[in-house]
């Protein structure tokens, strides 16, 4: 426990200033996280597919490229990221297919570790969320993206903490016994309720501070309801992300993805829920605003 606390404090000292500063320093942080996440996944997959081991230092570089590209892509030009995604996916498949004794699983694992779920697109979305102020029509919005990161962290962390304590006190029915035996249905529900309340209050406070509605809804009551729905979705998806991470580790008989953070594990062990919900958060807001005739903030 002491080691976990010390590591957490060091992480806070390093991460908080970078989140506040944003821009290129935060992009560099995102690139480092994306590279580390890609390496952790490929290193894990290479235990069963040894041919992937030679690429564990190379493929994660594509993650860095995705993060960097997302930062420079302007609003309305997201097709550039899509094309880059397709080019990288094709290139990775071609490299793996050229390997001796290559299999479809190897290609799937290579793509998963680089341009998909955690290490590429999702971390890129987290960086984009931090820098949303660059396209937001808000006066003095320099730190708005930082507060949105706080919103995500608050929602997911409070959900995890509440789920843990509610599960200890009231947990009876196992949520996913074959994946994470300690998680309970009662804990998951309790975590979502508390996380939704916390997330809703944080986002409403951000809106009030900047005088902007993130969802283009004129009705204040309806806006609060939709924020609550968004926050609820984040708590649920965050817990799903945690289960996905646990499932992958269980399938490969490992306790942690890495050991870069003593007491916490690797990049994916520490930030699995947050990076899992980042892309979903942006997507949900875009979908809601699309149907009500608005744009992203």
């Amino acid at each position: 426990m002491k080691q976990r606390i010390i590591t957490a404090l060091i992480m806070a000292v390093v991460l908080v200033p970078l989140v506040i500063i944003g821009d290129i320093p935060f992009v560099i942080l995102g690139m480092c996280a994306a590279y580390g996440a890609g390496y952790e996944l490929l290193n894990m997959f290479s235990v069963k597919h040894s041919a992937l081991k030679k690429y564990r230092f190379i493929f994660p570089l594509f993650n860095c490229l995705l993060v960097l590209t997302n930062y420079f892509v302007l609003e309305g030009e997201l097709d550039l990221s899509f094309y880059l995604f397709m080019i990288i996916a094709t290139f990775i498949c071609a490299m793996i297919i050229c390997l001796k004794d290559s299999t479809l699983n190897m290609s799937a694992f290579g793509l998963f570790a680089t341009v998909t779920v955690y290490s590429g697109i999702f971390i890129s979305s987290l960086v984009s969320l931090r820098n949303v102020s660059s396209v937001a029509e808000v006066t003095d919005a320099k730190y708005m993206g930082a507060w949105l990161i706080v919103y995500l962290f608050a929602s997911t962390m409070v959900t995890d903490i509440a789920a843990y304590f509610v599960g200890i006190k009231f947990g009876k029915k196992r949520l996913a016994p074959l994946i994470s035996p300690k998680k309970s249905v009662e804990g998951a529900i309790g975590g979502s309720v508390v996380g939704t309340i916390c997330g809703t209050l944080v986002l409403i406070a951000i809106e009030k501070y900047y005088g902007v509605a993130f969802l283009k809804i004129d009705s204040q009551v309806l806006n609060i309801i939709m924020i609550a729905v968004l926050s609820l979705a984040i708590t649920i998806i965050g817990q799903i992300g945690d289960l996905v991470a646990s499932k992958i580790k269980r399938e490969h008989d490992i306790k942690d993805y890495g050991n870069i953070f003593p007491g916490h594990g690797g990049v994916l062990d520490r930030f699995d829920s947050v990076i899992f919900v980042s892309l979903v958060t942006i997507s949900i807001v875009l979908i809601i605003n699309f149907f009500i005739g608005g744009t992203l903030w």
Side-chain angles (χ1 to χ4, degrees), residues 269-290:
D269 295 296
R270 181 63 279 174
F271 302 109
D272 54 355
S273 296
V274 174
I275 60 180
F276 200 89
V277 302
S278 58
L279 177 60
V280 179
T281 301
I282 292 178
S283 300
I284 291 176
V285 174
L286 284 171
I287 291 171
I288 293 175
N289 284 340
F290 173 80

Side-chain angles (χ1 to χ4, degrees), residues 69-147:
T69 302
N70 259 20
Y71 173 71
F72 288 108
V73 168
L74 298 176
E75 185 182 25
E77 298 179 357
L78 296 179
D79 55 332
L80 178 60
S81 290
F82 173 76
Y83 292 133
L84 178 63
F85 171 88
M86 296 305 297
I87 291 172
I88 292 176
T90 303
F91 183 70
I92 290 174
C93 285
M95 291 180 69
I96 295 177
I97 288 173
C98 290
L99 289 174
K100 184 180 180 180
D101 300 324
S102 64
T103 64
L104 181 60
N105 279 344
M106 287 173 58
S107 296
F109 289 147
L111 289 174
F112 183 85
T114 50
V115 297
T116 54
V117 179
Y118 294 114
S119 48
I121 298 298
F122 276 43
I123 293 180
S124 295
S125 301
L126 190 61
V127 172
S128 298
L129 194 64
R130 168 58 187 92
N131 294 294
V132 70
S133 57
S134 63
V135 296
E137 298 177 359
V138 184
T139 303
D140 191 26
K142 181 178 180 181
Y143 300 110
M144 186 172 69
W147 283 111

